[in-house]
């Protein structure tokens, strides 16, 4: 498996960071899913409006963004120090810290920890990182059932499906489908279940409450981990997080190493940035903070699993590293015109959308997700929305460059595209060659009618499939200028 | 090589430096954001109450001497008869016929589930976001207590209200398990229609005590 | 003022009217326009497709050609954006710090057309006449990279005879995105469909913008549909004094 500066990538064959089809192919299929288009369009439009409203309320939003960005930069610049500090604090407070180099190791660790308790089922709080590593499948392989408790993850799990959005993973499902899934898969459901969201949520509540009250092992992710104090933080809406973090006797938290933040006071920045950016609320309903083990309150056994799985590879690329600043708010997904039309599945990774297009290829190596950096028109809406100011468009261009450079290094023969790009560059590096090419291109004028060309050969046929192309004019601008002013650059010549 | 050593080594290599680089110096993070809202108590009470009402949370305001009556009214209105309270929680003068306050002495989740409600104090409240924070301090109890019962009655002192999140972080002691509550639980997972009351107490009521 | 024109390869080869209009407009305002004929292309297409090494000679050419000019005008927000935000980066990627600094210096004197008119020349009424219903599409590079704000609209509002109508969902990308239009043609077309719907909903005769690239994409779609609405570059409207397109 190839590496970036010696840092291994997230391994193949485990987890969900790679799609089965390149983005253009998957996207094209998704575009034809009218229900997805409608659901997603409505959902993203709604959240955009809510987010804009609550962000506009704050007089210091830009200052918060600047602080958030700086805190993340600082954290990554000293990541080893902060992880060691976090480990010490957690251990001092009675927790155990484990380190996992990759998804397989993390799955082994978690499976072992669950086995040690003798339990054969666990309750889970939504955690994208556990989806990333394919934890549920690994646990199932060991005879351990992982019960998802987040409503959307429950819908996805019962529907034998995959999540399509970081924040609202079941956005691709409408209420009728959800009702059907519940009727089919919930053993204890009322056969007269309607499809109003309130009824569906109530069905989920009853179904899950039994599990919560008897659960012995909980598994979660973490939004933030404070190095200074050893405190972990989970931000949620439904209360299933509180249930999983509080009632079981054993809690296992899996966390990407980039989620650590330096100090207690840094949390004040992120607890303002995250809720407003993700659900468009001033504050999410429930936030839980805990440090190790507290006698008499909550789990008496706490395990923190720190996960690499390609993050050090991203860290090793200074230009690509800002992708690790992400606080998983999904604001970029909600403003992205591409994501809005294709949904998350088309990206093939649990991290879709703009941030996914720059994070997934860095975790897996660009080669395994080569189409993702190109899944963008570089419109920049994501950068404007990002609460920690990740310059996603620049990262996309950087990853496109890495793709081209890596391809050039590993191939003996260049692609047709590379040849064309090199030729164009050669031509345009010289005004003489450039003018000659313009003259030669005028032959294309014959293809046009009324100044329009309706059909071009591949690859430009992709353009003319839906759009007319302009026919070359009788005279280029520089020919017109030369006609007016001779060879002089100035008009007064 | 153990995983820990390897991951740390990878990080150091990725950052291009040696292990002994030491702790980063100072805090060069630009903190131009508001550190305090600068609101007086009256404004804080007003803003918090407005935000709590937005969440559908009933707020009863009373002086310290009026607390037992306000509690009695709330519990009677709810029809709550068996209410669990944290160990050591006392409410002298509370006289509600048919209401039993029983202390949490390590009750099982099932026993908590059987209670009609829970009553606690709070650590503080944040006006701008309508947040009540519990940190396990006196009168607040362990986290399960304010999680499992379906009704939570919270006694809050006006002096415990701060304006914005940074003020809350300044006052909360790190280390204790802490729960921030901003409105009842909700989900927008079904077609983005917000549905209130999934897990956690579906009804939260606040008694705001002003001297 | 002596203003150097960077016409852009797209306008030079396919939309010469945009360059001609820019010259006509600035001369009408009393300025001298020069066209350094050694210019070719800013390299944006190469840079954005990941061919940075191939973009480097184009960056060098731009810097060589324009660095002695007092001010450079570009009738394209995306090309201006590439000059301002990408040229130095490309130079640095290949270790040429000297070129990077020169690029930054030229970039500071390079202006998109509406920036030049409003900020440098201090004019918002250019004396234009264009009696048509027009809707303005703020291209992503002008909106988010250059942050031209409402400069183009202020210029358009002062055009005599114009019937300016607001474009719904104006800030949503049209779907061009350079090679994105070909590599992800399906998504590009879907975005184009929505942009065309917005344009057509205004009843405008003309859709205008500061980028020939986006206009080529939107105009190509409208033309394919025989929609009866055309695309005209901002420069051409501002240069117009007779109302003829």
């Amino acid at each position: 498996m190839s590496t970036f500066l010696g840092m291994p990538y997230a391994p193949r064959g485990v987890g969900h960071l790679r799609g089965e089809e390149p983005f253009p192919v998957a996207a094209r299929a998704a575009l034809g899913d009218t229900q997805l288009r409608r659901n997603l369009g409505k959902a993203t439009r709604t959240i955009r409006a809510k987010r804009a409203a609550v962000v506009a309320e704050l007089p210091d939003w830009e200052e918060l963004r600047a602080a958030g960005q700086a805190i993340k930069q600082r954290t990554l610049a000293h990541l080893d120090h902060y992880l060691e500090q976090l480990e010490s604090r957690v251990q001092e407070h009675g927790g155990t810290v484990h380190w996992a180099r990759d998804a397989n190791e993390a799955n082994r660790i978690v499976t072992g920890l669950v086995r040690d308790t003798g339990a054969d089922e666990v309750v889970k709080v939504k955690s994208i990182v556990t989806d990333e590593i394919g934890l549920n499948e690994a646990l199932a392989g060991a005879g351990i059932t992982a019960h998802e408790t987040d409503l959307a993850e429950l819908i996805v799990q019962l529907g034998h499906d995959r999540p399509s959005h970081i924040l609202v993973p079941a956005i691709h499902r409408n209420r009728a489908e959800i009702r059907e899934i519940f009727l089919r898969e919930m053993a204890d459901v009322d056969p007269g279940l309607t499809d109003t969201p309130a009824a569906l949520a109530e069905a989920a509540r009853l179904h899950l409450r039994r599990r919560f009250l008897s659960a012995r092992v909980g598994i979660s992710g973490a939004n933030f981990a404070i190095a200074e104090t050893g405190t972990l933080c989970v931000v949620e809406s439904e209360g299933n997080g509180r249930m999983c973090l509080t009632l079981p006797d054993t809690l296992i938290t899996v966390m990407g190493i980039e989620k650590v933040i330096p100090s207690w006071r840094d949390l004040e920045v992120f607890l303002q940035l995250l809720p407003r950016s993700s659900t468009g609320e001033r504050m999410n309903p429930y936030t839980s903070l805990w440090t190790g083990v507290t006698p008499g309150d909550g789990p008496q056994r706490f395990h923190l699993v720190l996960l690499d799985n390609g993050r050090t590879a991203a860290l090793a690329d200074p230009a690509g590293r800002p992708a690790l600043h992400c606080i998983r708010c999904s604001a970029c997904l909600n403003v992205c015109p591409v994501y809005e039309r294709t949904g998350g599945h088309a990206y093939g990774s649990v991290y879709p959308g703009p941030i996914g297009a720059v994070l997934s290829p860095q975790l897996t190596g660009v080669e395994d997700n080569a189409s993702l950096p190109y899944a963008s028109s570089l419109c920049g809406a994501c950068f404007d929305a990002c609460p920690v100011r990740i310059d996603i468009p620049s990262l996309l261009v950087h990853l496109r460059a890495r793709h081209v450079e890596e391809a050039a290094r590993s191939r003996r023969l260049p692609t047709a595209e590379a040849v064309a790009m090199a030729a164009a560059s050669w031509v345009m590096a010289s005004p003489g060659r450039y003018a000659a090419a313009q003259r030669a291109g005028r032959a294309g004028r014959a293809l046009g009618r009324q100044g329009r060309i309706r059909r071009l050969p591949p690859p430009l046929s992709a353009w003319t499939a839906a759009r007319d192309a302009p026919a070359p004019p009788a005279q280029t601008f520089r020919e017109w200028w030369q006609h007016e002013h001779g060879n002089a650059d100035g008009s007064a010549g | 090589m153990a995983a820990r050593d390897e991951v740390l080594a990878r990080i150091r290599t990725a950052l291009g430096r040696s292990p002994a680089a030491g702790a980063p110096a100072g805090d060069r993070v630009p903190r131009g954001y508001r550190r305090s809202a600068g609101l007086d108590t009256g404004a804080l009470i007003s803003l918090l109450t407005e935000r709590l009402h937005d969440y559908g949370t009933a707020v009863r305001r009373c002086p310290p001497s009026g607390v037992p009556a306000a509690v009695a009214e709330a519990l009677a209105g709810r029809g709550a008869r068996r209410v669990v309270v944290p160990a050591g929680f006392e409410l002298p003068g509370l006289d509600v016929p048919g209401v039993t306050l029983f202390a949490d002495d390590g009750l099982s989740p099932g026993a908590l589930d059987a209670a009609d409600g829970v009553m606690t104090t709070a650590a503080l409240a944040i006006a701008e976001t309508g947040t009540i924070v519990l940190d396990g301090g006196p009168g607040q109890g362990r986290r399960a207590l304010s999680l499992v019962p379906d009704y939570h009655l919270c006694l809050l002192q006006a002096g415990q209200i701060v304006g914005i999140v940074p003020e809350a972080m300044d006052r909360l002691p790190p280390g204790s398990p802490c729960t921030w509550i901003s409105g009842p639980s909700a989900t927008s997972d079904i077609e983005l229609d917000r549905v209130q009351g999934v897990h956690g107490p579906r009804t939260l009521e606040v008694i705001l005590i002003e001297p | 003022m002596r203003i150097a024109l960077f016409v852009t390869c797209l306008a030079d080869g396919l939309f010469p009217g945009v360059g001609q209009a820019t010259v006509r407009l600035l001369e009408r305002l009393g300025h001298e326009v020069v066209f350094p004929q050694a210019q070719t292309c800013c390299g944006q297409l190469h840079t954005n497709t990941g061919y940075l090494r191939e973009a480097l000679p184009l960056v060098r050419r731009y810097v060589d050609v324009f660095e002695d000019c007092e001010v450079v005008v570009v009738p394209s927000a995306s090309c201006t954006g590439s000059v301002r935000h990408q040229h130095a980066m490309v130079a640095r990627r290949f270790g040429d710090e000297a070129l990077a600094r020169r690029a930054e210096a030229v970039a500071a004197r390079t202006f998109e057309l509406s920036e030049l008119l409003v900020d440098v020349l201090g004019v918002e009424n250019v004396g234009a006449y264009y009696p048509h219903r027009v809707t303005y599409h703020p291209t992503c590079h002008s909106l988010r990279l250059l942050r031209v704000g409402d400069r183009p609209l202020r210029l358009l509002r002062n055009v005599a005879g114009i019937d300016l109508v607001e474009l719904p969902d104006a800030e949503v990308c049209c779907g061009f995105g350079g090679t994105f239009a070909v590599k992800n043609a399906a998504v590009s077309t879907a975005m184009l469909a929505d942009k065309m719907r917005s344009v057509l909903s205004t009843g405008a005769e003309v859709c205008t913008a500061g980028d020939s690239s986006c206009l080529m994409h939107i105009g190509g779609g409208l033309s394919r549909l025989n929609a009866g609405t055309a695309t005209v570059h901002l420069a051409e409207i501002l240069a117009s004094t007779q109302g003829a397109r």
Side-chain angles (χ1 to χ4, degrees), chain A residues 341 384 400 417 421 425 428-429 464 468 478 482 488-489, chain C residues 12 35 37 39-40 46 48 51 54 147 183 194 223-224:
Chain A
R341 289 165 178 80
D384 279 359
R400 293 175 186 190
E417 179 186 273
M421 285 295 187
S425 169
M428 293 201 280
T464 50
D468 288 346
R478 64 182 61 218
Q482 276 160 2
D489 285 356
Chain C
D12 191 356
F35 177 68
Q37 298 188 53
Q39 64 182 267
T40 57
H46 283 85
N48 285 342
Y51 291 86
E54 288 76 6
R147 300 205 183 271
K183 285 177 186 263
D194 287 330
S223 159
R224 176 61 57 89

mmCIF file of all heavy atoms in Angstrom, chain A residues 341 384 400 417 421 425 428-429 464 468 478 482 488-489, chain C residues 12 35 37 39-40 46 48 51 54 147 183 194 223-224:
data_model
loop_
_atom_site.group_PDB
_atom_site.id
_atom_site.type_symbol
_atom_site.label_atom_id
_atom_site.label_comp_id
_atom_site.label_asym_id
_atom_site.label_seq_id
_atom_site.Cartn_x
_atom_site.Cartn_y
_atom_site.Cartn_z
ATOM 1 N N ARG A 341 -27.440 18.117 -5.366
ATOM 2 C CA ARG A 341 -28.043 17.402 -6.484
ATOM 3 C C ARG A 341 -27.671 15.926 -6.548
ATOM 4 O O ARG A 341 -28.376 15.139 -7.166
ATOM 5 C CB ARG A 341 -27.674 18.099 -7.810
ATOM 6 C CG ARG A 341 -28.385 19.436 -7.947
ATOM 7 C CD ARG A 341 -27.787 20.327 -9.030
ATOM 8 N NE ARG A 341 -28.538 21.563 -9.137
ATOM 9 C CZ ARG A 341 -28.406 22.609 -8.327
ATOM 10 N NH1 ARG A 341 -27.508 22.581 -7.366
ATOM 11 N NH2 ARG A 341 -29.162 23.688 -8.467
ATOM 12 N N ASP A 384 -17.022 29.886 2.426
ATOM 13 C CA ASP A 384 -17.777 30.928 3.122
ATOM 14 C C ASP A 384 -18.544 30.369 4.316
ATOM 15 O O ASP A 384 -18.708 31.034 5.328
ATOM 16 C CB ASP A 384 -18.782 31.595 2.170
ATOM 17 C CG ASP A 384 -18.140 32.652 1.289
ATOM 18 O OD1 ASP A 384 -16.924 32.890 1.431
ATOM 19 O OD2 ASP A 384 -18.857 33.239 0.461
ATOM 20 N N ARG A 400 -5.963 18.078 -6.776
ATOM 21 C CA ARG A 400 -5.935 17.806 -8.208
ATOM 22 C C ARG A 400 -4.492 17.790 -8.679
ATOM 23 O O ARG A 400 -4.089 16.944 -9.492
ATOM 24 C CB ARG A 400 -6.736 18.875 -8.964
ATOM 25 C CG ARG A 400 -8.229 18.826 -8.664
ATOM 26 C CD ARG A 400 -8.995 19.956 -9.331
ATOM 27 N NE ARG A 400 -10.388 19.937 -8.889
ATOM 28 C CZ ARG A 400 -11.359 20.679 -9.430
ATOM 29 N NH1 ARG A 400 -11.086 21.488 -10.438
ATOM 30 N NH2 ARG A 400 -12.593 20.607 -8.959
ATOM 31 N N GLU A 417 -5.241 13.377 -21.612
ATOM 32 C CA GLU A 417 -5.441 14.688 -21.002
ATOM 33 C C GLU A 417 -4.111 15.364 -20.705
ATOM 34 O O GLU A 417 -3.938 16.551 -20.977
ATOM 35 C CB GLU A 417 -6.255 14.533 -19.713
ATOM 36 C CG GLU A 417 -6.490 15.854 -18.999
ATOM 37 C CD GLU A 417 -7.160 15.657 -17.650
ATOM 38 O OE1 GLU A 417 -8.403 15.605 -17.622
ATOM 39 O OE2 GLU A 417 -6.436 15.544 -16.636
ATOM 40 N N MET A 421 -2.861 18.905 -22.158
ATOM 41 C CA MET A 421 -2.517 20.011 -21.260
ATOM 42 C C MET A 421 -1.094 20.493 -21.521
ATOM 43 O O MET A 421 -0.820 21.698 -21.544
ATOM 44 C CB MET A 421 -2.657 19.576 -19.795
ATOM 45 C CG MET A 421 -4.089 19.466 -19.334
ATOM 46 S SD MET A 421 -4.888 21.080 -19.336
ATOM 47 C CE MET A 421 -6.436 20.692 -18.562
ATOM 48 N N SER A 425 -0.124 24.175 -22.949
ATOM 49 C CA SER A 425 0.825 25.004 -22.212
ATOM 50 C C SER A 425 1.966 25.457 -23.125
ATOM 51 O O SER A 425 2.371 26.624 -23.118
ATOM 52 C CB SER A 425 1.381 24.217 -21.031
ATOM 53 O OG SER A 425 2.476 24.897 -20.462
ATOM 54 N N MET A 428 0.677 28.077 -25.509
ATOM 55 C CA MET A 428 0.348 29.367 -24.893
ATOM 56 C C MET A 428 1.544 30.023 -24.217
ATOM 57 O O MET A 428 1.449 31.162 -23.769
ATOM 58 C CB MET A 428 -0.828 29.194 -23.940
ATOM 59 C CG MET A 428 -2.099 28.853 -24.706
ATOM 60 S SD MET A 428 -3.627 29.207 -23.834
ATOM 61 C CE MET A 428 -3.721 27.783 -22.779
ATOM 62 N N ALA A 429 2.648 29.314 -24.144
ATOM 63 C CA ALA A 429 3.836 29.946 -23.571
ATOM 64 C C ALA A 429 4.487 30.891 -24.585
ATOM 65 O O ALA A 429 5.377 31.658 -24.244
ATOM 66 C CB ALA A 429 4.827 28.881 -23.113
ATOM 67 N N THR A 464 -21.302 19.516 -25.700
ATOM 68 C CA THR A 464 -22.390 19.741 -26.658
ATOM 69 C C THR A 464 -23.563 18.785 -26.450
ATOM 70 O O THR A 464 -24.585 18.937 -27.117
ATOM 71 C CB THR A 464 -21.890 19.634 -28.115
ATOM 72 O OG1 THR A 464 -21.143 18.420 -28.269
ATOM 73 C CG2 THR A 464 -20.997 20.809 -28.468
ATOM 74 N N ASP A 468 -24.940 24.361 -26.676
ATOM 75 C CA ASP A 468 -24.267 24.756 -27.910
ATOM 76 C C ASP A 468 -22.896 25.293 -27.534
ATOM 77 O O ASP A 468 -22.675 25.775 -26.432
ATOM 78 C CB ASP A 468 -25.073 25.859 -28.625
ATOM 79 C CG ASP A 468 -26.361 25.321 -29.238
ATOM 80 O OD1 ASP A 468 -26.492 24.069 -29.334
ATOM 81 O OD2 ASP A 468 -27.231 26.134 -29.608
ATOM 82 N N ARG A 478 -6.942 39.772 -31.071
ATOM 83 C CA ARG A 478 -5.626 40.330 -31.388
ATOM 84 C C ARG A 478 -5.501 40.629 -32.871
ATOM 85 O O ARG A 478 -4.795 41.555 -33.267
ATOM 86 C CB ARG A 478 -4.480 39.463 -30.887
ATOM 87 C CG ARG A 478 -4.325 38.085 -31.481
ATOM 88 C CD ARG A 478 -3.143 37.362 -30.817
ATOM 89 N NE ARG A 478 -3.378 37.211 -29.390
ATOM 90 C CZ ARG A 478 -2.431 37.332 -28.466
ATOM 91 N NH1 ARG A 478 -1.182 37.585 -28.786
ATOM 92 N NH2 ARG A 478 -2.716 37.175 -27.191
ATOM 93 N N GLN A 482 -4.508 44.259 -34.211
ATOM 94 C CA GLN A 482 -3.426 44.465 -35.172
ATOM 95 C C GLN A 482 -3.933 45.217 -36.387
ATOM 96 O O GLN A 482 -3.239 46.057 -36.961
ATOM 97 C CB GLN A 482 -2.816 43.125 -35.598
ATOM 98 C CG GLN A 482 -1.768 42.643 -34.620
ATOM 99 C CD GLN A 482 -1.492 41.144 -34.718
ATOM 100 O OE1 GLN A 482 -2.063 40.453 -35.565
ATOM 101 N NE2 GLN A 482 -0.628 40.650 -33.859
ATOM 102 N N ALA A 488 1.678 47.695 -32.891
ATOM 103 C CA ALA A 488 1.963 48.429 -31.659
ATOM 104 C C ALA A 488 1.095 47.912 -30.525
ATOM 105 O O ALA A 488 -0.052 47.510 -30.736
ATOM 106 C CB ALA A 488 1.695 49.917 -31.889
ATOM 107 N N ASP A 489 1.641 47.942 -29.319
ATOM 108 C CA ASP A 489 0.864 47.564 -28.156
ATOM 109 C C ASP A 489 -0.113 48.692 -27.795
ATOM 110 O O ASP A 489 -1.211 48.445 -27.343
ATOM 111 C CB ASP A 489 1.788 47.310 -26.955
ATOM 112 C CG ASP A 489 2.520 45.987 -27.079
ATOM 113 O OD1 ASP A 489 2.247 45.250 -28.042
ATOM 114 O OD2 ASP A 489 3.357 45.706 -26.202
ATOM 115 N N ASP C 12 -10.174 36.515 -26.319
ATOM 116 C CA ASP C 12 -9.316 36.700 -27.490
ATOM 117 C C ASP C 12 -9.764 35.779 -28.620
ATOM 118 O O ASP C 12 -9.994 36.212 -29.745
ATOM 119 C CB ASP C 12 -7.870 36.395 -27.085
ATOM 120 C CG ASP C 12 -6.854 36.811 -28.133
ATOM 121 O OD1 ASP C 12 -7.245 37.280 -29.220
ATOM 122 O OD2 ASP C 12 -5.644 36.662 -27.854
ATOM 123 N N PHE C 35 -2.535 47.204 -25.451
ATOM 124 C CA PHE C 35 -2.715 45.755 -25.529
ATOM 125 C C PHE C 35 -1.347 45.118 -25.778
ATOM 126 O O PHE C 35 -0.894 45.006 -26.913
ATOM 127 C CB PHE C 35 -3.687 45.406 -26.663
ATOM 128 C CG PHE C 35 -3.860 43.920 -26.854
ATOM 129 C CD1 PHE C 35 -4.503 43.147 -25.888
ATOM 130 C CD2 PHE C 35 -3.391 43.275 -27.998
ATOM 131 C CE1 PHE C 35 -4.663 41.775 -26.061
ATOM 132 C CE2 PHE C 35 -3.550 41.903 -28.182
ATOM 133 C CZ PHE C 35 -4.184 41.156 -27.205
ATOM 134 N N GLN C 37 0.953 42.718 -26.860
ATOM 135 C CA GLN C 37 0.607 41.581 -27.704
ATOM 136 C C GLN C 37 1.342 40.308 -27.347
ATOM 137 O O GLN C 37 1.048 39.245 -27.885
ATOM 138 C CB GLN C 37 0.845 41.967 -29.167
ATOM 139 C CG GLN C 37 -0.056 43.126 -29.548
ATOM 140 C CD GLN C 37 -0.034 43.445 -31.017
ATOM 141 O OE1 GLN C 37 -0.238 42.570 -31.857
ATOM 142 N NE2 GLN C 37 0.238 44.710 -31.324
ATOM 143 N N GLN C 39 0.970 38.839 -24.655
ATOM 144 C CA GLN C 39 0.165 38.121 -23.660
ATOM 145 C C GLN C 39 -0.478 36.891 -24.274
ATOM 146 O O GLN C 39 -0.735 36.846 -25.480
ATOM 147 C CB GLN C 39 -0.932 39.032 -23.103
ATOM 148 C CG GLN C 39 -1.961 39.466 -24.156
ATOM 149 C CD GLN C 39 -3.001 40.401 -23.553
ATOM 150 O OE1 GLN C 39 -4.052 39.952 -23.116
ATOM 151 N NE2 GLN C 39 -2.697 41.690 -23.527
ATOM 152 N N THR C 40 -0.744 35.905 -23.434
ATOM 153 C CA THR C 40 -1.477 34.728 -23.898
ATOM 154 C C THR C 40 -2.599 34.362 -22.925
ATOM 155 O O THR C 40 -3.750 34.729 -23.160
ATOM 156 C CB THR C 40 -0.542 33.518 -24.101
ATOM 157 O OG1 THR C 40 0.155 33.235 -22.885
ATOM 158 C CG2 THR C 40 0.463 33.776 -25.210
ATOM 159 N N HIS C 46 -5.274 25.278 -16.512
ATOM 160 C CA HIS C 46 -4.267 24.299 -16.118
ATOM 161 C C HIS C 46 -4.208 24.160 -14.610
ATOM 162 O O HIS C 46 -4.216 23.053 -14.064
ATOM 163 C CB HIS C 46 -2.880 24.725 -16.638
ATOM 164 C CG HIS C 46 -2.682 24.477 -18.100
ATOM 165 N ND1 HIS C 46 -3.083 25.354 -19.061
ATOM 166 C CD2 HIS C 46 -2.137 23.415 -18.749
ATOM 167 C CE1 HIS C 46 -2.785 24.865 -20.253
ATOM 168 N NE2 HIS C 46 -2.208 23.682 -20.102
ATOM 169 N N ASN C 48 -6.424 24.863 -12.292
ATOM 170 C CA ASN C 48 -7.596 24.272 -11.664
ATOM 171 C C ASN C 48 -7.813 22.816 -12.037
ATOM 172 O O ASN C 48 -8.606 22.131 -11.402
ATOM 173 C CB ASN C 48 -8.851 25.088 -12.007
ATOM 174 C CG ASN C 48 -8.905 26.394 -11.237
ATOM 175 O OD1 ASN C 48 -8.210 26.553 -10.229
ATOM 176 N ND2 ASN C 48 -9.707 27.326 -11.691
ATOM 177 N N TYR C 51 -2.730 20.796 -13.282
ATOM 178 C CA TYR C 51 -1.503 20.811 -14.079
ATOM 179 C C TYR C 51 -0.708 22.066 -13.750
ATOM 180 O O TYR C 51 -0.529 22.961 -14.585
ATOM 181 C CB TYR C 51 -1.829 20.729 -15.576
ATOM 182 C CG TYR C 51 -2.381 19.370 -15.950
ATOM 183 C CD1 TYR C 51 -3.737 19.089 -15.821
ATOM 184 C CD2 TYR C 51 -1.533 18.358 -16.400
ATOM 185 C CE1 TYR C 51 -4.231 17.831 -16.125
ATOM 186 C CE2 TYR C 51 -2.025 17.102 -16.724
ATOM 187 C CZ TYR C 51 -3.379 16.843 -16.570
ATOM 188 O OH TYR C 51 -3.864 15.600 -16.874
ATOM 189 N N GLU C 54 2.529 22.800 -15.743
ATOM 190 C CA GLU C 54 2.233 23.344 -17.064
ATOM 191 C C GLU C 54 1.705 24.769 -16.984
ATOM 192 O O GLU C 54 1.782 25.518 -17.960
ATOM 193 C CB GLU C 54 1.210 22.458 -17.788
ATOM 194 C CG GLU C 54 1.752 21.109 -18.263
ATOM 195 C CD GLU C 54 1.908 20.093 -17.144
ATOM 196 O OE1 GLU C 54 1.482 20.395 -16.021
ATOM 197 O OE2 GLU C 54 2.458 19.006 -17.390
ATOM 198 N N ARG C 147 -14.786 39.217 -4.325
ATOM 199 C CA ARG C 147 -15.736 39.978 -3.504
ATOM 200 C C ARG C 147 -16.007 41.360 -4.104
ATOM 201 O O ARG C 147 -15.851 42.382 -3.431
ATOM 202 C CB ARG C 147 -15.250 40.086 -2.052
ATOM 203 C CG ARG C 147 -15.083 38.724 -1.422
ATOM 204 C CD ARG C 147 -15.204 38.730 0.086
ATOM 205 N NE ARG C 147 -14.963 37.383 0.599
ATOM 206 C CZ ARG C 147 -15.911 36.449 0.764
ATOM 207 N NH1 ARG C 147 -17.162 36.715 0.493
ATOM 208 N NH2 ARG C 147 -15.597 35.254 1.217
ATOM 209 N N LYS C 183 -15.848 17.043 -17.202
ATOM 210 C CA LYS C 183 -15.589 15.863 -16.368
ATOM 211 C C LYS C 183 -16.813 15.437 -15.578
ATOM 212 O O LYS C 183 -16.974 14.257 -15.257
ATOM 213 C CB LYS C 183 -14.460 16.161 -15.370
ATOM 214 C CG LYS C 183 -13.080 16.173 -15.976
ATOM 215 C CD LYS C 183 -12.061 16.559 -14.895
ATOM 216 C CE LYS C 183 -10.691 16.721 -15.448
ATOM 217 N NZ LYS C 183 -9.866 15.519 -15.288
ATOM 218 N N ASP C 194 -31.041 24.605 -13.496
ATOM 219 C CA ASP C 194 -31.608 25.472 -12.464
ATOM 220 C C ASP C 194 -31.257 26.941 -12.714
ATOM 221 O O ASP C 194 -32.078 27.825 -12.493
ATOM 222 C CB ASP C 194 -31.127 25.029 -11.083
ATOM 223 C CG ASP C 194 -31.789 23.734 -10.637
ATOM 224 O OD1 ASP C 194 -32.946 23.492 -11.056
ATOM 225 O OD2 ASP C 194 -31.163 22.958 -9.887
ATOM 226 N N SER C 223 -29.233 28.709 -25.764
ATOM 227 C CA SER C 223 -29.270 28.588 -27.217
ATOM 228 C C SER C 223 -29.781 27.214 -27.633
ATOM 229 O O SER C 223 -30.580 27.075 -28.561
ATOM 230 C CB SER C 223 -27.869 28.857 -27.761
ATOM 231 O OG SER C 223 -27.711 28.327 -29.030
ATOM 232 N N ARG C 224 -29.311 26.184 -26.937
ATOM 233 C CA ARG C 224 -29.758 24.823 -27.256
ATOM 234 C C ARG C 224 -31.262 24.698 -27.086
ATOM 235 O O ARG C 224 -31.929 23.983 -27.834
ATOM 236 C CB ARG C 224 -29.029 23.814 -26.353
ATOM 237 C CG ARG C 224 -29.472 22.369 -26.513
ATOM 238 C CD ARG C 224 -29.250 21.845 -27.924
ATOM 239 N NE ARG C 224 -27.872 21.946 -28.349
ATOM 240 C CZ ARG C 224 -26.955 20.994 -28.153
ATOM 241 N NH1 ARG C 224 -27.273 19.882 -27.533
ATOM 242 N NH2 ARG C 224 -25.737 21.171 -28.593
#
